[in-house]
Amino acid sequence: MNYYPEITPKEEVETDNVISHFILDFIDEDMAPGGQFEGLKVHTRFPPEPNGFLHIGHAKAIVIDFGTAELYDGLCNLRMDDTNPEKEDESYVKAIKQDIHWLGYDWGDRFYHASDYFEETYGYAEELIEKGLAFVCEQTPEEMRDARGTLTTPGTNSPWRDRPIDENMDLFRRMRAGEFPEGRYTLRAKIDMTSGNLNLRDPVIYRIAHKEHHRTGDTWCIYPMYDFAHPISDALEHITHSLCSLEFEDHRPLFDWVVANCSLPSKPRQIEFARLNINYTVMSKRKLRAIVEEGLVDGWDDPRLPTLSGLRRRGYTPRAIRDFCERNGVSKVPSVVDVKFLEYCLREDLNKRAPRAMSVLDPVRLTITNYPEGQSETFTVDNHPNDPKAGSHEITFSRHLLIEREDFMEDPPPKYYRLYPGNLVRLRGACIIRCTGCVKDDDGTVTEVFAEYIPGTYGGASPPGERVRGTIHWLDEETAVPCEVRLYDHLFTVEDPDGDTRDYHELLNPNSLTVLKNAFVEPWLATTHSKIGYQFMRQGYFIEDNHDSTNEHLVFNRSVSLRDSYKPEI
RNA sequence: UGGGAUGUAGCCAAGUGGUAAAGGCACGGGACUUUGACUCCCGGAUUCGCAGGUUCAAGUCCUGCCAUCCCAGCCA
């Protein structure tokens, strides 16, 4: 399989759950007559750092950044925030672009890099020096830390703070020229060492790094810090609204300081929102990378991971993910969304669109004793119960069938509607049968179940007088296609792995993956390869694994189970 | 002991001083059903972190307190 994710057509992911929230209110103000952006087009940007794979937390940011632009008929740029050559790599860029396209968003020809602006950014640094607003500092990292003060005590000025402008300029140019080793000098903004906001205590805006950059190569040996490069990049792209997560709230005064003191072509407004968290998983790139690199999962796209590539492999649809993000709303409350809500959004989408099929995950033989050996017939079943347009396909029936082991009990609890001796059950799409018994091996394991079909009930004809409450799925032993099925559960056993003091290795769910090697599906699936997968009736939604499934060896991942209100009465 | 934010049902989340505190998820009950699915009904906050105050009227305004989150990278 391994299909390459294409741009999802927009109408494929159209959702209409937009509700008003504070960001929209701010934008409305700004665009209204008298507002600071009156007459302009709303212009946002999504600025990932290419140092890891995108996860569903990013999806929220993407939906907000691209979605807001769409809402106002504006534009959203894609920009790689690549100001730290030490951590970033081109290989992530491709994956990031793929994931955004998959979600159904497009940046047109506006794909940029912070590194595109290194020359301009450098120029703004010289401007600050010229204005006496930046200085070259010689403090070591340790000295700088000591002089920064603490959360409750003010910092003290660097001894180099009042270096003459000419000297600053000379040193800064020589930093660029590569005359100094890493760490020897930094360029710092001259703001306020006594500020309660640590970000304003003369922050470093340029550091020396003799590192090859993935795009600019060895052109530069000094690199701007995020706080300096970001507002400049935004302004150069004429971004109106720079939407970011809450932890940058403290940085807004610095963002505004840069915008106010550099001769930039526009003045973007930064607005912060709470990032998305989901229980039973982790969302930090650092932790995800550790899990991947330690081989605890099968790569960045392991279906148990909250990465977009993992969710895609798991069978999540772009629509479900966008819907999830939109329905969660936008606020400033740090929140943890129940993973059940994510699952609900997937079922909501797949229920409408996924073709239905039958699969037996844990088979046991069912023999219809009054059906002749060697005989066989074909039934036509609808691909979707509520959507005739979805078409139909054929299944075969014969004396020996396969059913789910849990659909037979010799001695069932009350209100068990499935097979047990004497009980009537409907075989989905075929006929009604009466269970007549079973045989077991020496361990007491059921090895074969027996039943008789009730003549005249083929094709779903009305039951004969008795109420048939149970319907089970089944396969024809003759035509069933063997396959592998992978079932997934939470990656972690605790709701909040980040908040747990134990090492995360202890919190990993040992049963997060269950591989079923003895499962079967209808022959129809061997040729259909539905891109959004299938509903295996009474079980859940499954999709072919985009790494491992082949025509010779089908592999299905369970995207999400069906809701199940069956509660055994003990 | 600093600065910045946030507190409305188990989880998200509307609410921008005016009769009865949206909606969704989860959960429970019921109807329907050739998926114990879907769909459809019904159910929950005398109360909005707490305490005072202003007002004819406060979740919405004021004061104080409490709790939680973020910030001391030459990361983003």
Side-chain angles (χ1 to χ4, degrees):
Chain A
M1 286 268 302
N2 201 14
Y3 59 87
Y4 191 96
E6 300 143 11
I7 297 184
T8 308
K10 203 174 147 197
E11 61 274 17
E12 281 294 303
V13 286
E14 220 39 85
T15 56
D16 55 343
N17 302 302
V18 181
I19 52 171
S20 75
H21 53 75
F22 69 102
I23 293 179
L24 268 22
D25 292 343
F26 285 155
I27 295 179
D28 287 339
E29 273 171 35
D30 292 342
M31 310 316 286
Q36 61 173 314
F37 298 126
E38 180 184 357
L40 296 180
K41 207 172 242 249
V42 171
H43 207 330
T44 59
R45 103 272 91 123
F46 175 62
E49 184 186 12
N51 69 342
F53 280 60
L54 261 25
H55 53 64
I56 190 155
H58 294 110
K60 172 175 178 174
I62 291 167
V63 167
I64 291 174
D65 289 334
F66 281 93
T68 300
E70 263 175 21
L71 191 63
Y72 286 88
D73 194 27
L75 298 169
C76 181
N77 297 354
L78 172 60
R79 180 172 72 235
M80 296 298 143
D81 217 340
D82 57 352
T83 56
N84 184 0
E86 202 162 327
K87 304 208 294 196
E88 295 145 8
D89 191 87
E90 195 69 27
S91 66
Y92 294 114
V93 174
K94 186 179 161 197
I96 288 170
K97 293 168 89 170
Q98 234 180 60
D99 285 342
I100 299 171
H101 269 160
W102 176 67
L103 278 180
Y105 295 107
D106 189 47
W107 48 88
D109 57 357
R110 299 177 316 284
F111 173 57
Y112 304 121
H113 296 78
S115 57
D116 293 339
Y117 315 127
F118 279 172
E119 192 59 50
E120 289 91 330
T121 307
Y122 174 86
Y124 290 114
E126 285 205 352
E127 180 187 354
L128 289 181
I129 292 172
E130 205 112 33
K131 288 176 171 170
L133 293 174
F135 64 98
V136 172
C137 186
E138 298 183 33
Q139 285 184 314
T140 63
E142 296 70 39
E143 290 169 338
M144 206 180 286
R145 191 190 335 114
D146 292 343
R148 186 152 31 228
T150 69
L151 293 178
T152 52
T153 58
T156 51
N157 285 166
S158 161
W160 319 102
R161 196 172 201 264
D162 294 316
R163 196 194 289 278
I165 290 173
D166 290 351
E167 202 176 309
N168 282 323
M169 193 65 85
D170 176 59
L171 251 15
F172 187 50
R173 287 177 178 164
R174 288 163 62 195
M175 280 166 66
R176 173 179 186 169
E179 290 186 29
F180 311 115
E182 283 181 23
R184 178 73 181 85
Y185 294 109
T186 57
L187 184 69
R188 294 226 259 164
K190 199 186 287 185
I191 308 180
D192 179 8
M193 289 304 290
T194 67
S195 172
N197 181 344
L198 288 295
N199 297 119
L200 264 21
R201 318 247 261 228
D202 291 3
V204 170
I205 57 176
Y206 259 96
R207 77 284 213 179
I208 298 172
H210 291 280
K211 297 273 182 343
E212 177 130 340
H213 186 278
H214 71 101
R215 292 191 72 251
T216 61
D218 57 4
T219 306
W220 295 88
C221 63
I222 58 172
Y223 294 93
M225 301 290 286
Y226 165 86
D227 282 312
F228 189 55
H230 206 84
I232 289 173
S233 303
D234 283 342
L236 291 176
E237 292 177 19
H238 292 89
I239 300 303
T240 55
H241 299 276
S242 184
L243 312 178
C244 63
S245 47
L246 244 32
E247 68 268 28
F248 292 102
E249 221 155 9
D250 286 351
H251 295 245
R252 182 162 17 106
L254 180 50
F255 183 100
D256 291 340
W257 185 91
V258 172
V259 168
N261 290 295
C262 297
S263 306
L264 293 162
S266 78
K267 298 190 184 310
R269 199 234 274 219
Q270 176 177 305
I271 304 171
E272 311 84 9
F273 58 85
R275 57 201 306 167
L276 170 70
N277 295 292
I278 297 180
N279 56 14
Y280 295 105
T281 191
V282 293
M283 216 63 96
S284 89
K285 274 189 203 170
R286 205 195 94 247
K287 287 180 179 160
L288 291 173
R289 182 179 296 107
I291 292 168
V292 170
E293 288 177 355
E294 288 178 45
L296 270 16
V297 294
D298 181 26
W300 281 100
D301 63 351
D302 186 285
R304 291 166 289 185
L305 258 20
T307 52
L308 293 179
S309 50
L311 290 166
R312 176 163 64 236
R313 189 171 169 194
R314 174 78 170 258
Y316 271 79
T317 61
R319 186 184 306 194
I321 291 172
R322 285 174 62 153
D323 193 38
F324 171 73
C325 291
E326 285 168 4
R327 293 169 70 140
N328 268 320
V330 180
S331 75
K332 301 187 68 146
V333 189
S335 55
V336 182
V337 177
D338 197 333
V339 67
K340 284 189 164 75
F341 187 55
L342 210 212
E343 294 174 343
Y344 162 82
C345 291
L346 211 220
R347 289 193 193 103
E348 178 93 332
D349 183 25
L350 259 19
N351 174 51
K352 293 184 200 131
R353 304 194 291 148
R356 308 294 126 122
M358 291 197 281
S359 161
V360 176
L361 304 183
D362 181 15
V364 65
R365 181 185 239 196
L366 169 69
T367 296
I368 309 297
T369 53
N370 58 346
Y371 195 87
E373 190 88 52
Q375 190 173 316
S376 166
E377 57 199 285
T378 299
F379 297 114
T380 299
V381 293
D382 291 336
N383 291 341
H384 195 111
N386 332 337
D387 180 13
K389 293 193 301 294
S392 61
H393 66 276
E394 298 191 326
I395 52 176
T396 66
F397 178 91
S398 64
R399 178 180 170 91
H400 299 294
L401 307 177
L402 259 19
I403 61 168
E404 210 68 62
R405 182 166 290 281
E406 64 174 25
D407 285 339
F408 171 81
M409 285 184 94
E410 195 174 21
D411 185 21
K415 295 195 179 169
Y416 180 84
Y417 302 147
R418 290 110 97 157
L419 285 174
Y420 55 88
N423 194 40
L424 286 176
V425 158
R426 177 179 293 109
L427 293 180
R428 167 85 208 191
C431 59
I432 289 162
I433 58 172
R434 185 185 300 279
C435 181
T436 55
C438 69
V439 293
K440 295 184 282 190
D441 64 14
D442 295 344
D443 303 329
T445 304
V446 174
T447 54
E448 187 170 0
V449 177
F450 300 106
E452 295 174 345
Y453 77 86
I454 313 294
T457 59
Y458 283 108
S462 301
E466 286 177 89
R467 183 177 184 190
V468 179
R469 299 202 63 164
T471 298
I472 64 171
H473 56 275
W474 56 277
L475 293 170
D476 180 350
E477 198 179 76
E478 277 302 304
T479 58
V481 176
C483 67
E484 176 179 329
V485 170
R486 298 171 183 170
L487 308 180
Y488 300 99
D489 195 1
H490 305 322
L491 222 207
F492 289 92
T493 54
V494 297
E495 277 204 40
D496 178 18
D498 286 323
D500 204 291
T501 51
R502 286 169 288 178
D503 181 85
Y504 73 86
H505 294 87
E506 295 177 46
L507 308 175
L508 286 168
N509 178 5
N511 303 315
S512 58
L513 169 64
T514 304
V515 179
L516 272 22
K517 299 233 180 222
N518 189 33
F520 294 85
V521 291
E522 297 178 27
W524 183 53
L525 302 200
T527 54
T528 313
H529 305 302
S530 163
K531 283 275 178 93
I532 59 166
Y534 308 86
Q535 185 197 94
F536 289 174
M537 280 189 290
R538 304 211 304 137
Q539 301 192 117
Y541 297 94
F542 295 74
I543 192 166
E544 276 187 73
D545 186 78
N546 62 17
H547 276 7
D548 304 333
S549 190
T550 63
N551 283 332
E552 294 69 43
H553 180 66
L554 292 169
V555 178
F556 291 93
N557 294 324
R558 183 173 67 191
S559 311
V560 64
S561 64
L562 243 35
R563 264 177 36 171
D564 183 6
S565 63
Y566 173 61
K567 292 176 286 293
E569 296 182 12
I570 317 274

